[in-house]
Short mmCIF file of all heavy atoms in Angstrom, two decimals:
data_model
loop_
_atom_site.label_atom_id
_atom_site.label_comp_id
_atom_site.label_asym_id
_atom_site.label_seq_id
_atom_site.Cartn_x
_atom_site.Cartn_y
_atom_site.Cartn_z
N ALA A 1 -21.34 14.81 5.21
CA ALA A 1 -22.77 14.55 5.31
C ALA A 1 -23.49 15.17 4.15
O ALA A 1 -24.46 14.59 3.63
CB ALA A 1 -23.29 15.11 6.64
N THR A 2 -23.07 16.33 3.76
CA THR A 2 -23.69 17.03 2.58
C THR A 2 -23.45 16.13 1.31
O THR A 2 -24.33 16.02 0.45
CB THR A 2 -23.19 18.39 2.39
OG1 THR A 2 -23.49 19.17 3.60
CG2 THR A 2 -23.81 19.11 1.18
N GLY A 3 -22.21 15.69 1.18
CA GLY A 3 -21.89 14.81 0.06
C GLY A 3 -22.77 13.57 0.02
O GLY A 3 -23.20 13.22 -1.10
N VAL A 4 -23.02 13.01 1.21
CA VAL A 4 -23.87 11.74 1.22
C VAL A 4 -25.26 12.14 0.80
O VAL A 4 -25.90 11.40 0.02
CB VAL A 4 -23.87 11.23 2.68
CG1 VAL A 4 -25.00 10.18 2.84
CG2 VAL A 4 -22.54 10.69 3.03
N ALA A 5 -25.78 13.32 1.26
CA ALA A 5 -27.08 13.76 0.82
C ALA A 5 -27.19 13.90 -0.65
O ALA A 5 -28.20 13.53 -1.31
CB ALA A 5 -27.49 15.06 1.59
N TYR A 6 -26.15 14.49 -1.28
CA TYR A 6 -26.13 14.69 -2.75
C TYR A 6 -26.12 13.32 -3.49
O TYR A 6 -26.83 13.14 -4.49
CB TYR A 6 -24.94 15.55 -3.15
CG TYR A 6 -25.07 16.99 -2.76
CD1 TYR A 6 -26.17 17.48 -2.09
CD2 TYR A 6 -24.05 17.88 -3.09
CE1 TYR A 6 -26.23 18.83 -1.69
CE2 TYR A 6 -24.12 19.26 -2.73
CZ TYR A 6 -25.22 19.72 -2.01
OH TYR A 6 -25.27 21.03 -1.68
N LEU A 7 -25.41 12.37 -2.94
CA LEU A 7 -25.35 11.03 -3.51
C LEU A 7 -26.76 10.41 -3.57
O LEU A 7 -27.22 9.80 -4.54
CB LEU A 7 -24.40 10.11 -2.84
CG LEU A 7 -22.91 10.40 -3.01
CD1 LEU A 7 -22.07 9.39 -2.21
CD2 LEU A 7 -22.46 10.37 -4.51
N ARG A 8 -27.44 10.65 -2.46
CA ARG A 8 -28.84 10.07 -2.28
C ARG A 8 -29.77 10.69 -3.36
O ARG A 8 -30.57 9.97 -3.97
CB ARG A 8 -29.35 10.23 -0.93
CG ARG A 8 -28.61 9.37 0.13
CD ARG A 8 -29.04 9.64 1.53
NE ARG A 8 -28.52 8.82 2.52
CZ ARG A 8 -28.24 9.13 3.77
NH1 ARG A 8 -28.39 10.39 4.17
NH2 ARG A 8 -27.72 8.18 4.59
N LEU A 9 -29.66 12.00 -3.49
CA LEU A 9 -30.52 12.71 -4.41
C LEU A 9 -30.24 12.25 -5.89
O LEU A 9 -31.10 12.07 -6.74
CB LEU A 9 -30.35 14.24 -4.28
CG LEU A 9 -30.94 14.83 -3.00
CD1 LEU A 9 -30.62 16.36 -3.03
CD2 LEU A 9 -32.41 14.63 -2.87
N LEU A 10 -28.94 12.10 -6.17
CA LEU A 10 -28.51 11.72 -7.48
C LEU A 10 -28.91 10.24 -7.75
O LEU A 10 -29.24 9.86 -8.91
CB LEU A 10 -27.07 11.90 -7.71
CG LEU A 10 -26.63 13.39 -7.67
CD1 LEU A 10 -25.13 13.52 -7.65
CD2 LEU A 10 -27.15 14.06 -8.97
N ALA A 11 -28.83 9.41 -6.73
CA ALA A 11 -29.30 8.03 -6.86
C ALA A 11 -30.77 7.90 -7.18
O ALA A 11 -31.19 7.06 -7.98
CB ALA A 11 -28.89 7.16 -5.62
N ASP A 12 -31.54 8.81 -6.62
CA ASP A 12 -32.97 8.90 -6.88
C ASP A 12 -33.22 9.18 -8.42
O ASP A 12 -34.26 8.92 -8.96
CB ASP A 12 -33.65 9.88 -6.05
CG ASP A 12 -33.70 9.48 -4.53
OD1 ASP A 12 -33.55 8.23 -4.27
OD2 ASP A 12 -33.90 10.35 -3.74
N GLU A 13 -32.22 9.86 -9.05
CA GLU A 13 -32.36 10.22 -10.38
C GLU A 13 -31.78 9.10 -11.33
O GLU A 13 -31.66 9.24 -12.58
CB GLU A 13 -31.62 11.55 -10.68
CG GLU A 13 -32.23 12.71 -10.00
CD GLU A 13 -33.66 12.96 -10.41
OE1 GLU A 13 -33.94 12.89 -11.64
OE2 GLU A 13 -34.50 13.22 -9.44
N GLY A 14 -31.37 7.98 -10.71
CA GLY A 14 -30.86 6.87 -11.47
C GLY A 14 -29.42 6.81 -11.73
O GLY A 14 -28.92 5.96 -12.55
N LEU A 15 -28.61 7.72 -11.10
CA LEU A 15 -27.23 7.68 -11.35
C LEU A 15 -26.51 6.67 -10.41
O LEU A 15 -26.88 6.49 -9.24
CB LEU A 15 -26.65 9.01 -11.05
CG LEU A 15 -26.59 10.06 -12.25
CD1 LEU A 15 -28.06 10.47 -12.62
CD2 LEU A 15 -25.72 11.28 -11.91
N SER A 16 -25.49 6.07 -10.93
CA SER A 16 -24.61 5.16 -10.05
C SER A 16 -23.79 6.00 -9.10
O SER A 16 -23.63 7.21 -9.29
CB SER A 16 -23.68 4.36 -10.98
OG SER A 16 -22.70 5.20 -11.60
N VAL A 17 -23.26 5.34 -8.13
CA VAL A 17 -22.45 6.05 -7.13
C VAL A 17 -21.21 6.70 -7.81
O VAL A 17 -20.95 7.92 -7.54
CB VAL A 17 -22.00 5.06 -6.00
CG1 VAL A 17 -21.00 5.75 -5.10
CG2 VAL A 17 -23.16 4.61 -5.28
N GLU A 18 -20.55 5.98 -8.73
CA GLU A 18 -19.36 6.56 -9.34
C GLU A 18 -19.71 7.67 -10.17
O GLU A 18 -19.03 8.70 -10.23
CB GLU A 18 -18.67 5.43 -10.24
CG GLU A 18 -17.95 4.35 -9.47
CD GLU A 18 -18.83 3.25 -9.02
OE1 GLU A 18 -20.14 3.33 -9.22
OE2 GLU A 18 -18.38 2.24 -8.52
N HIS A 19 -20.84 7.61 -10.97
CA HIS A 19 -21.21 8.67 -11.85
C HIS A 19 -21.65 9.90 -11.01
O HIS A 19 -21.26 11.08 -11.33
CB HIS A 19 -22.36 8.24 -12.78
CG HIS A 19 -22.59 9.13 -13.93
ND1 HIS A 19 -23.50 8.86 -14.91
CD2 HIS A 19 -21.95 10.27 -14.33
CE1 HIS A 19 -23.46 9.76 -15.85
NE2 HIS A 19 -22.54 10.65 -15.50
N ALA A 20 -22.36 9.72 -9.98
CA ALA A 20 -22.77 10.78 -9.06
C ALA A 20 -21.60 11.49 -8.43
O ALA A 20 -21.49 12.74 -8.35
CB ALA A 20 -23.72 10.29 -8.01
N ALA A 21 -20.66 10.66 -7.99
CA ALA A 21 -19.50 11.25 -7.31
C ALA A 21 -18.63 12.13 -8.20
O ALA A 21 -18.06 13.14 -7.79
CB ALA A 21 -18.62 10.09 -6.70
N ARG A 22 -18.62 11.78 -9.48
CA ARG A 22 -17.85 12.60 -10.45
C ARG A 22 -18.42 13.98 -10.65
O ARG A 22 -17.69 14.91 -11.19
CB ARG A 22 -17.71 11.86 -11.75
CG ARG A 22 -16.74 10.68 -11.71
CD ARG A 22 -16.30 10.28 -13.13
NE ARG A 22 -17.46 9.69 -13.91
CZ ARG A 22 -17.82 8.48 -13.88
NH1 ARG A 22 -17.13 7.53 -13.15
NH2 ARG A 22 -18.79 7.99 -14.66
N LEU A 23 -19.69 14.19 -10.30
CA LEU A 23 -20.28 15.45 -10.44
C LEU A 23 -19.95 16.46 -9.33
O LEU A 23 -20.31 17.68 -9.40
CB LEU A 23 -21.76 15.39 -10.51
CG LEU A 23 -22.41 14.69 -11.78
CD1 LEU A 23 -23.90 14.47 -11.58
CD2 LEU A 23 -22.16 15.59 -13.01
N ILE A 24 -19.40 15.93 -8.21
CA ILE A 24 -19.19 16.74 -7.04
C ILE A 24 -17.75 17.15 -6.81
O ILE A 24 -16.85 16.35 -6.98
CB ILE A 24 -19.67 15.91 -5.82
CG1 ILE A 24 -21.11 15.41 -6.00
CG2 ILE A 24 -19.51 16.75 -4.52
CD1 ILE A 24 -21.54 14.46 -4.92
N GLU A 25 -17.54 18.46 -6.43
CA GLU A 25 -16.24 18.95 -6.02
C GLU A 25 -16.46 19.48 -4.56
O GLU A 25 -17.48 20.13 -4.19
CB GLU A 25 -15.77 20.07 -6.87
CG GLU A 25 -14.43 20.57 -6.48
CD GLU A 25 -13.86 21.62 -7.37
OE1 GLU A 25 -14.44 22.65 -7.57
OE2 GLU A 25 -12.71 21.38 -7.94
N PHE A 26 -15.42 19.15 -3.73
CA PHE A 26 -15.51 19.54 -2.30
C PHE A 26 -14.57 20.69 -2.10
O PHE A 26 -13.51 20.77 -2.71
CB PHE A 26 -15.06 18.35 -1.40
CG PHE A 26 -16.04 17.20 -1.43
CD1 PHE A 26 -15.91 16.22 -2.42
CD2 PHE A 26 -17.07 17.08 -0.51
CE1 PHE A 26 -16.84 15.17 -2.47
CE2 PHE A 26 -17.89 16.04 -0.55
CZ PHE A 26 -17.84 15.03 -1.57
N ARG A 27 -15.07 21.63 -1.22
CA ARG A 27 -14.30 22.80 -0.90
C ARG A 27 -14.03 22.89 0.55
O ARG A 27 -14.95 22.84 1.37
CB ARG A 27 -15.03 24.04 -1.43
CG ARG A 27 -14.24 25.32 -1.49
CD ARG A 27 -15.08 26.50 -2.11
NE ARG A 27 -15.33 26.17 -3.50
CZ ARG A 27 -16.26 26.81 -4.19
NH1 ARG A 27 -17.04 27.71 -3.65
NH2 ARG A 27 -16.44 26.54 -5.50
N LEU A 28 -12.76 23.00 0.91
CA LEU A 28 -12.40 23.09 2.35
C LEU A 28 -11.49 24.33 2.65
O LEU A 28 -10.80 24.80 1.75
CB LEU A 28 -11.56 21.80 2.80
CG LEU A 28 -12.36 20.53 3.08
CD1 LEU A 28 -11.30 19.48 3.39
CD2 LEU A 28 -13.26 20.73 4.30
N ALA A 29 -11.53 24.85 3.84
CA ALA A 29 -10.71 25.94 4.22
C ALA A 29 -9.39 25.43 4.70
O ALA A 29 -9.27 24.49 5.40
CB ALA A 29 -11.43 26.74 5.41
N ALA A 30 -8.36 26.20 4.38
CA ALA A 30 -7.01 25.96 4.77
C ALA A 30 -6.58 27.12 5.69
O ALA A 30 -6.63 28.26 5.24
CB ALA A 30 -6.07 25.88 3.63
N THR A 31 -6.14 26.87 6.88
CA THR A 31 -5.76 27.88 7.81
C THR A 31 -4.27 27.94 8.07
O THR A 31 -3.50 27.15 7.55
CB THR A 31 -6.50 27.73 9.18
OG1 THR A 31 -5.85 26.62 9.94
CG2 THR A 31 -7.93 27.37 9.00
N ASP A 32 -3.80 28.89 8.89
CA ASP A 32 -2.44 29.09 9.10
C ASP A 32 -1.99 28.10 10.25
O ASP A 32 -0.89 28.23 10.73
CB ASP A 32 -2.10 30.52 9.50
CG ASP A 32 -2.91 31.09 10.67
OD1 ASP A 32 -3.81 30.29 11.17
OD2 ASP A 32 -2.75 32.17 11.06
#
C-alpha cells in the first residue's frame, strides 16, 4: 500500500510507472 502511494506521488511529478518503480527499494523482516 505504501509502494502504491509512492507511485501515485511520483506519477503526479510526471514519472512513468517503470521509472518511478526503479526509485523504490522495499525492506521486509525475516524471522526464525
Side-chain angles (χ1 to χ4, degrees):
T2 301
V4 169
Y6 289 1
L7 288 181
R8 288 173 176 149
L9 290 176
L10 293 170
D12 291 342
E13 296 299 317
L15 273 68
S16 67
V17 172
E18 288 86 353
H19 199 175
R22 287 198 294 271
L23 289 174
I24 305 173
E25 181 175 59
F26 294 85
R27 192 174 294 164
L28 279 178
T31 75
D32 55 358

